[in-house]
């Protein structure tokens, strides 16, 4: 009887496991640079005890300073889902309607499908000072930030015309969750993924229907839309699995969102994602380490690289797969950067009120990168890439692109008897 | 994934063991479920503060022979402890953690409540005394930051007074620290140390400290500098005209966090894999051997090694757990030394010796663990998860962590 009591009296998100040790706050990138944010312990489990009693204790101005990096959860010795408590509180207690800026920043599919139609003009405009000034003053989008370019040809359209037909030739197949970034901004990464997977003997298919993973909708307080898109993605994944195709992605944040946030924040049944969705680097690394596929590399490939662990990658705990994979390239001189937040936090750093915080957070990491003196910074997150390329003059690429550059495709195909 | 050794737990014992094994060229992974109790550290490491009768151990090595025979030190032996203590100090130096003290003679650290406690090694720049009954200064300035909550200055002042040192309390601030008080409940040592990490703020603090009357011999202030590296600590010391010494605070502990950071950095530099925020979910035992472990983050990935080292800590770190019926080791349910009857776990008088403090994972002389009485030959336990001693009462917690970590690491390296 008494045992039952103890076993069942567990609070949501392990709130009651919090000892108030403050260790999470030590590792909070935001409270490290501004006293205006009280830090995860205070905004999370501490505040939640009061909010449960009375919603007036909800301090929206403070809580919206959380950039949802989840580093507090990684640091917590007692498994309290601190970041989730904060995000959930924002969704649950906020009564403010979502503003136009946040709506636009968060609806990446909408913005992307419009922008790609007029990419050259959009790309020109988003670099023009007067436009940036209007965006800054009217919309609240930071003028000092470099905006990512849009592509005039989406990855999906490239894939359908140039790659789709080839894929059925492969016996083994995966579905690729490309994400908004690959589709609207940087199709090259998707092309690299197809190149690598094809070389090791896997055909790459797209999901029936892919929507933005929804992370920006979650952090910008649009949970209903996020849930709707989430359900669609999960349905597509289910269908893919039924067809014998596991799902891989090249973005650590999309992967994290569908594996963790869908369940913890949106309360979706995401077993299908948890069991079948993997980051491409994990998928490939495991195949190689289990001896199921082999890779051959170009003899003339020499590169000095440093790996940056994105926050959501840190939370997934999968950086080891990306780094192990990179280290398999013989021509790579590898360096691991200490895991620190770059400061962008997805849409967070695009908002003018967050810009200076965002840049201050990144300073330590920028410094590490400058010291490292490498050809490339390698990372699995697109928004980290934007932040780092804007702040340090060193190109940033995804491990899959590095692999695509280093791979001797013909040799690799031969090794895998293709 | 295959390693030579897998260490479960990434605190002082896990990292010490991991560093030693990596130095010997072994491929090591440390799996750590969150940050460690080093974040509660005092800036000192204890080897053995008190003997079995509760008397101060002047020479810790002398007192080891008289400890209970199930004390972890007795399994190692005094001679080896003497060697390992030297090795531990060298290992810390190698990580950039510079300390003073020897295993042959305890010195005294000042607690955040103003008491003197015997200890083995103390970080450079921290206030200590060679004596148990007095301090090296006749008069000191106790300088605290306005609004800093975790430094009970009246207790300290009172305590130092009783030891015959006159104290003058000064409350100081600079603009950046005033701004930090926007979140008054978060005026914690680590947050303050992040502010006191630039030349600008250090100059400002030094200016305030230098403007005080020159009567006191030394300035003592809370450990609120030097979070990431010792640099800002040394830099401030140079800027201040009088001797400046640090006192530990209530947690989170700046010196402890720095130790954690530097040990982890060294381990990674040596090629170790540190999996932070990952919890071991399952261990598969077959024929008296642990075959593999799986973790919360790597899911179905099996992590295998020649040997596994449990360094998960005690109750505070969930290395040991209890419910209404029993005390257990949560990963493999290893055999533990705990009394059967729940009433025997605690003494109702909170100030008396608490029996549960000495409970822990059962091991043999070589720190091999056992499962239902059968020895797990490739599964060792080190650090606070071990039973047989009461760290609070004997002031030997950090010593047991480092000594057992090195003992097991050396055993593995030398194939003993």
């Amino acid at each position: 009887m008494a045992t039952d009591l103890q076993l069942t009296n567990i609070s949501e998100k392990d709130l009651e496991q919090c000892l108030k040790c403050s260790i999470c706050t030590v590792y909070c990138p935001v409270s490290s640079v501004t006293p205006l944010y009280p830090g995860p312990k205070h905004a999370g489990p501490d505040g939640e005890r009061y909010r449960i009693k009375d919603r007036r204790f909800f301090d929206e101005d403070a809580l919206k300073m959380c950039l949802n990096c989840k580093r507090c959860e990684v640091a917590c010795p007692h498994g309290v889902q601190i970041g989730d408590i904060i995000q959930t509180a924002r969704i649950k207690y906020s009564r403010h309607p979502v503003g136009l800026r946040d709506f636009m920043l968060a609806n990446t599919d909408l913005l992307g499908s419009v922008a790609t139609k007029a990419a050259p003009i959009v790309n020109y405009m988003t670099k023009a000072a007067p436009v940036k000034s209007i965006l800054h003053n009217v919309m609240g989008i930071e003028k000092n930030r470099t905006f990512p370019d849009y592509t005039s040809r989406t990855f999906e359209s490239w894939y359908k015309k140039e790659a789709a037909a080839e894929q059925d030739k492969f016996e083994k197949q995966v579905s690729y969750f490309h994400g908004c970034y690959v589709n609207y901004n940087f199709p090259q990464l998707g092309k690299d993924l197809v190149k690598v997977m094809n070389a090791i003997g896997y055909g790459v298919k797209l999901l029936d229907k892919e929507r933005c993973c929804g992370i920006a909708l979650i952090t910008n307080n649009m949970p209903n839309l996020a849930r709707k898109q989430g359900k669609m993605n999960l349905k597509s994944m289910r269908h893919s699995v039924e067809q014998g195709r596991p799902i891989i992605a090249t973005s650590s944040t999309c992967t994290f969102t569908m594996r963790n946030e869908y369940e913890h924040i949106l309360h979706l049944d995401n077993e299908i994602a948890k069991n079948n969705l993997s980051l491409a680097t994990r998928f490939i690394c495991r195949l190689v380490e289990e001896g199921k596929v082999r890779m051959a590399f170009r003899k003339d490939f020499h590169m000095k690289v440093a790996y940056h662990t994105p926050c959501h990658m840190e939370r997934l705990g999968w950086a080891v797969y990306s780094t192990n994979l990179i280290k398999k390239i013989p021509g790579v001189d590898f360096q691991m950067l200490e895991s620190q937040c770059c400061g962008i936090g997805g849409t967070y750093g695009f908002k003018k009120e967050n810009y200076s915080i965002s840049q201050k957070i990144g300073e330590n990491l920028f410094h590490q990168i400058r010291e490292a003196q490498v050809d490339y910074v390698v990372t699995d997150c697109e928004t980290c890439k934007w932040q780092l390329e804007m702040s340090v003059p060193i190109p940033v690429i995804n491990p899959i692109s590095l692999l695509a550059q280093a791979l001797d495709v013909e040799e690799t195909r031969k090794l895998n008897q293709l | 994934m295959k390693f030579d050794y897998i260490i479960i737990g990434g605190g002082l014992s896990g990292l010490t063991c991991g560093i030693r094994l990596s130095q010997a060229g072994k491929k090591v992974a440390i799996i750590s479920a969150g940050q460690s109790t080093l974040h509660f550290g005092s800036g000192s490491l204890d080897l053995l503060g008190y003997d079995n009768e509760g008397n101060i151990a002047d020479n810790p090595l002398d007192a080891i022979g008289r400890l209970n025979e199930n004390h972890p030190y007795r399994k190692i032996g005094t001679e080896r402890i003497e060697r390992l203590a030297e090795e531990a100090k060298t290992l810390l130096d190698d990580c950039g953690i510079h300390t003073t003290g020897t295993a042959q003679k305890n010195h005294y650290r000042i607690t955040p409540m103003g008491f003197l406690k015997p200890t083995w090694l103390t970080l450079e720049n921290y206030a200590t005394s060679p004596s148990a009954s007095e301090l090296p200064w006749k008069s000191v300035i106790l300088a605290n930051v306005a609004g800093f909550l975790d430094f009970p200055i009246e207790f300290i002042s009172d305590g130092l007074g009783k030891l015959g040192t006159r104290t003058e309390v000064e409350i100081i601030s600079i603009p950046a620290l005033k701004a930090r008080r926007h979140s008054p409940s978060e005026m914690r040592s680590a947050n303050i140390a992040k502010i006191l990490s630039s030349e600008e703020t250090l100059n400002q603090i030094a200016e305030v400290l230098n403007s005080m009357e020159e009567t006191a011999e030394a300035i003592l202030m809370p450990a609120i500098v030097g979070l990431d590296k010792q640099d800002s600590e040394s830099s401030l010391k140079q800027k201040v005209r009088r001797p400046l010494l640090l006192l530990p605070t209530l947690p989170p502990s700046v010196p402890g966090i720095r130790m954690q950071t530097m040990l982890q950095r060294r381990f990674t530099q040596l090629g170790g894999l540190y999996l932070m925020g990952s919890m071991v979910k399952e261990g598969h035992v077959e024929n008296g051997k642990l075959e593999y472990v799986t973790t919360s983050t790597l899911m179905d990935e099996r992590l295998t090694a020649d040997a596994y080292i449990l360094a998960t800590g005690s109750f505070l770190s969930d290395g040991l757990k209890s419910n209404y019926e029993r005390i257990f080791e949560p990963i493999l349910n290893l055999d533990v030394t705990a009394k059967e009857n729940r009433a025997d776990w605690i003494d109702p008088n909170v100030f008396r010796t608490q029996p549960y403090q000495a409970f822990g994972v059962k091991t043999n002389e070589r720190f091999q663990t056992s499962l239902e009485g059968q020895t797990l030959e490739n599964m060792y336990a080190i650090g606070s998860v071990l039973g047989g001693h009461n760290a609070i009462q004997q002031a030997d917690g950090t010593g047991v962590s480092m000594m057992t970590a090195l003992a097991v690491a050396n055993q593995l390296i030398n194939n003993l």
Side-chain angles (χ1 to χ4, degrees):
Chain A
M1 182 65 181
T3 315
D4 291 350
L5 250 181
Q6 192 180 37
L7 288 176
T8 52
N9 188 18
I10 299 288
S11 55
E12 200 184 346
K13 304 195 197 311
D14 285 324
L15 170 69
E16 287 173 11
Q17 295 297 313
C18 175
L19 294 181
K20 316 289 171 226
C21 71
S22 293
I23 288 176
C24 54
T25 302
V26 175
Y27 296 92
C28 172
V30 182
S31 79
S32 292
V33 299
T34 171
L36 301 178
Y37 181 57
K41 182 197 72 169
H42 192 279
D46 253 13
E48 189 64 14
R49 290 180 306 154
Y50 292 102
R51 294 189 289 262
I52 288 170
K53 289 177 188 151
D54 190 333
R55 52 168 298 116
R56 281 176 300 177
F57 286 107
F58 172 60
D59 182 354
E60 184 158 21
D61 289 340
L63 264 62
K64 75 179 181 199
M65 296 185 81
C66 165
L67 52 56
N68 199 35
C69 69
K70 314 280 187 192
R71 286 187 183 263
C72 46
E73 296 184 359
V74 176
C76 179
H78 287 91
V80 182
Q81 291 162 246
I82 308 161
D84 293 348
I85 291 173
I86 297 169
Q87 272 317 308
T88 305
R90 292 185 55 200
I91 288 171
K92 188 169 160 193
Y93 299 110
S94 177
R95 290 287 182 268
H96 280 111
V98 176
L100 177 63
R101 177 198 64 186
D102 292 2
F103 182 82
M104 279 185 58
L105 284 176
N107 278 279
T108 48
D109 270 327
L110 182 68
L111 201 64
S113 49
V114 175
T116 46
K117 298 227 162 53
I121 300 165
V122 172
N123 294 341
Y124 174 76
M125 297 274 281
T126 53
K127 285 181 191 69
V131 177
K132 291 188 104 169
S133 170
I134 293 169
L135 284 174
H136 185 91
N137 294 316
V138 181
M139 296 275 293
I141 296 174
E142 174 61 38
K143 63 171 183 284
N144 286 313
R145 190 159 286 289
T146 310
F147 300 119
D149 277 344
Y150 283 93
T151 174
S152 44
R153 191 182 187 189
T154 63
F155 172 72
E156 285 192 4
S157 103
W158 170 85
Y159 174 86
K160 279 171 196 156
K161 286 224 177 72
E162 315 282 342
E166 299 288 303
Q167 305 307 315
D168 285 326
K169 294 179 187 159
F170 295 91
E171 198 184 316
K172 292 174 286 187
Q173 291 185 336
V174 291
S175 292
Y176 176 39
F177 186 97
H178 49 69
C180 305
Y181 164 70
V182 165
N183 201 29
Y184 304 120
N185 303 108
F186 197 65
Q188 186 56 43
L189 173 53
K191 295 176 191 173
D192 290 339
L193 186 275
V194 174
K195 173 180 165 184
V196 172
M197 293 308 289
N198 285 177
I200 59 172
Y202 279 79
V204 178
K205 294 273 177 118
L206 301 187
L207 292 169
D208 301 346
K209 272 184 183 160
E210 180 186 317
R211 291 287 176 270
C212 167
C213 69
I215 186 66
L217 294 168
I218 294 170
T219 53
N220 285 288
N221 269 3
M222 284 167 263
N224 293 333
L225 199 49
R227 217 168 273 128
K228 197 174 144 200
Q229 294 185 182
K231 280 182 185 161
M232 197 174 280
N233 286 332
L234 291 167
K235 190 177 163 198
S236 298
M237 283 188 215
R238 204 163 293 121
H239 187 240
S240 171
V241 172
E242 282 162 10
Q243 308 284 309
R245 293 194 300 268
I247 305 101
I248 58 173
T250 40
S251 158
S252 48
T253 286
C254 298
T255 308
F256 165 78
T257 303
M258 294 187 282
R259 293 180 57 95
N260 292 31
E261 304 280 81
Y262 277 12
E263 181 186 10
H264 299 156
I265 310 285
L266 302 178
H267 306 293
L268 293 172
D269 173 3
N270 68 338
E271 281 303 307
I272 197 81
K274 286 202 287 189
N275 296 328
N276 300 284
L277 165 68
S278 185
L279 203 57
T281 54
R282 179 182 199 249
F283 189 83
I284 299 168
C285 187
R286 295 188 75 183
L287 286 175
V288 175
E289 285 180 1
E290 286 163 14
K292 290 179 183 158
V293 305
R294 295 172 68 191
M295 293 189 297
F297 296 96
R298 279 168 41 200
K299 302 277 182 292
D300 60 345
F301 184 84
H302 298 286
M303 208 62 82
K304 195 175 171 198
V305 307
Y307 184 79
H308 157 63
T309 312
C311 297
H312 292 159
M313 189 68 154
E314 182 79 6
R315 183 70 179 103
L316 279 171
W318 288 0
V320 58
Y321 292 113
S322 290
T323 56
N324 276 359
L325 200 55
I326 296 166
K327 288 183 206 163
K328 291 187 199 306
I329 307 172
V332 157
D333 178 358
F334 180 83
Q335 223 183 113
M336 187 74 179
L337 298 168
E338 270 181 35
S339 179
Q340 282 171 328
C341 178
C342 75
I344 189 75
T347 59
Y348 186 93
F350 282 86
K351 301 174 183 177
K352 74 173 178 189
E353 68 272 22
N354 295 337
Y355 180 75
S356 72
I357 292 175
S358 173
Q359 295 312 103
K360 264 192 223 163
I361 290 173
E363 254 171 41
N364 281 332
L365 181 64
F366 306 157
H367 177 74
Q368 280 195 64
I369 294 172
R370 280 188 215 104
E371 296 277 294
Q373 305 215 328
V374 289
D375 301 311
Y376 280 129
V377 170
V378 186
T379 195
D380 289 86
C381 172
E382 55 277 8
T383 60
C384 293
K385 173 182 158 80
W386 298 338
Q387 168 79 336
L388 296 178
E389 286 186 337
M390 184 191 91
S391 311
V392 193
I394 291 174
V396 180
I397 63 168
N398 187 285
I400 295 298
S401 294
L402 187 75
L403 206 60
Q405 284 185 26
L407 212 60
D408 182 331
V409 173
E410 282 317 305
E411 255 334 281
T412 302
R413 285 175 58 87
K414 271 187 223 157
L415 283 176
N416 295 296
Q417 276 121 39
L418 295 170
Chain B
M1 272 184 218
K2 172 96 186 66
F3 302 90
D4 293 327
Y5 301 110
I6 290 173
I7 300 170
I8 308 171
L12 181 62
S13 58
L15 278 165
T16 302
C17 190
I19 289 169
R20 183 72 193 92
L21 290 168
S22 304
Q23 282 171 337
K26 307 293 181 189
K27 190 180 172 196
V28 187
I30 291 180
I31 304 164
S32 183
Q35 290 288 356
S36 80
T37 46
L38 266 177
H39 290 64
F40 298 75
S42 65
S44 292
L45 300 163
D46 302 334
L47 189 60
L48 183 66
Y50 303 92
D51 64 17
N52 259 356
E53 287 72 46
N55 304 312
I56 287 177
D58 186 46
N59 178 343
L61 294 174
D62 277 353
I64 286 174
R66 300 193 303 276
L67 291 170
N68 289 335
E69 60 181 41
N70 40 7
H71 191 290
Y73 288 164
R74 292 291 301 273
K75 292 178 179 163
I76 301 172
T78 309
E79 263 175 51
R80 262 173 87 205
I81 294 277
E82 188 168 7
R83 283 205 309 277
L84 295 179
E86 281 302 312
E87 199 176 318
K89 197 175 167 175
T90 311
L91 182 142
L92 293 171
D93 270 325
D94 179 50
C95 299
I97 302 167
H98 304 301
T99 58
T100 54
T102 77
Q104 285 76 20
K105 189 164 173 54
N106 273 322
H107 63 276
Y108 297 83
R109 64 181 173 93
I110 303 170
T111 73
M113 301 300 276
F115 286 92
L116 287 175
K117 293 245 162 139
T119 192
W120 164 41
L121 299 174
T122 297
L123 291 177
E124 278 177 355
N125 302 335
Y126 280 68
T128 60
S129 174
S131 153
S133 54
E134 57 176 8
L135 295 168
W137 321 279
K138 289 273 171 291
S139 69
V140 294
I141 290 173
L142 265 180
N144 192 23
V145 166
F148 176 42
L149 306 165
D150 295 327
F151 193 64
I153 201 149
E154 300 211 347
F155 282 115
I156 301 169
S157 174
D158 197 39
L160 301 193
K162 282 178 188 156
L163 294 162
T165 296
R166 199 165 51 79
T167 58
E168 212 176 295
V169 172
E170 296 274 1
I171 305 298
I172 60 175
S173 197
I174 58 170
L177 290 174
K178 275 191 194 121
R180 178 80 250 180
R181 293 184 74 179
H182 180 87
S183 301
S185 66
E186 304 311 306
M187 275 298 278
R188 307 274 168 193
S189 57
N191 280 339
I192 296 174
K194 284 173 191 168
I195 290 171
L196 300 184
S197 62
S198 71
E199 279 301 294
E200 190 194 350
T201 52
L202 290 171
N203 280 335
Q204 290 172 356
I205 281 283
E207 199 181 315
V208 178
L209 294 173
N210 283 331
S211 69
M212 290 169 189
E213 278 186 58
E214 304 251 347
T215 49
E217 291 161 57
I219 301 175
L220 305 188
M221 68 180 251
I224 48 174
V225 279
L227 186 67
D228 185 45
K229 287 181 277 187
Q230 207 179 314
D231 296 6
S232 34
E233 208 177 276
S234 316
S235 164
L236 182 61
K237 217 173 146 71
Q238 272 174 15
K239 294 176 201 293
V240 177
R241 283 195 295 271
R242 267 170 292 183
L244 176 72
L245 294 151
L246 301 172
L247 291 174
T249 68
L250 298 180
S253 145
V254 168
I257 295 165
R258 187 170 80 220
M259 266 193 217
Q260 173 78 36
T261 309
M262 300 192 80
L263 290 167
Q264 210 173 309
R265 202 172 274 164
R266 186 76 189 114
F267 174 68
T268 313
Q269 275 170 2
L270 288 165
L273 174 68
Y274 195 96
L275 293 172
M276 177 49 103
S278 189
M279 188 185 265
V280 171
K281 278 294 187 207
E282 182 209 5
H284 183 74
V285 176
E286 229 175 88
N287 303 324
K289 279 180 97 169
L290 184 58
E291 294 288 331
Y292 62 84
V293 294
T294 59
T295 70
S296 58
T297 53
L298 302 184
M299 322 285 294
D300 56 336
E301 181 83 55
R302 292 178 179 186
L303 308 181
T304 63
D306 295 341
Y308 303 78
I309 298 132
L310 188 75
T312 44
S314 187
F315 294 99
L316 179 60
S317 307
D318 285 347
L320 295 172
K321 284 191 165 195
S322 68
N323 57 26
Y324 285 93
E325 284 159 359
R326 62 194 191 104
I327 285 171
F328 58 99
E329 185 285 308
I331 296 175
L332 286 172
N333 200 20
L334 296 169
D335 295 341
V336 293
T337 57
K339 296 224 166 73
E340 288 274 313
N341 186 353
R342 187 163 181 250
D344 298 331
W345 298 352
I346 54 164
D347 187 307
N349 181 339
V350 76
F351 294 106
R352 276 206 225 119
T353 303
Q354 296 296 323
Y356 76 87
Q357 292 280 0
F359 296 166
V361 164
K362 207 183 267 183
T363 69
N364 61 15
E365 300 293 306
R366 303 177 58 231
F367 298 101
Q368 283 164 318
T369 59
S370 63
L371 193 62
E372 290 168 358
Q374 191 192 1
T375 300
L376 285 181
E377 54 181 271
N378 66 342
M379 175 80 178
Y380 299 80
I382 58 172
S384 305
V385 76
L386 293 170
H389 72 118
N390 183 326
I392 291 178
Q393 214 175 22
Q394 293 174 295
D396 61 359
T398 37
V400 166
S401 290
M402 292 199 85
M403 296 301 103
T404 54
L406 290 174
V408 168
N410 289 340
Q411 234 170 255
L412 292 169
I413 292 164
N414 300 321
N415 282 320
L416 295 172

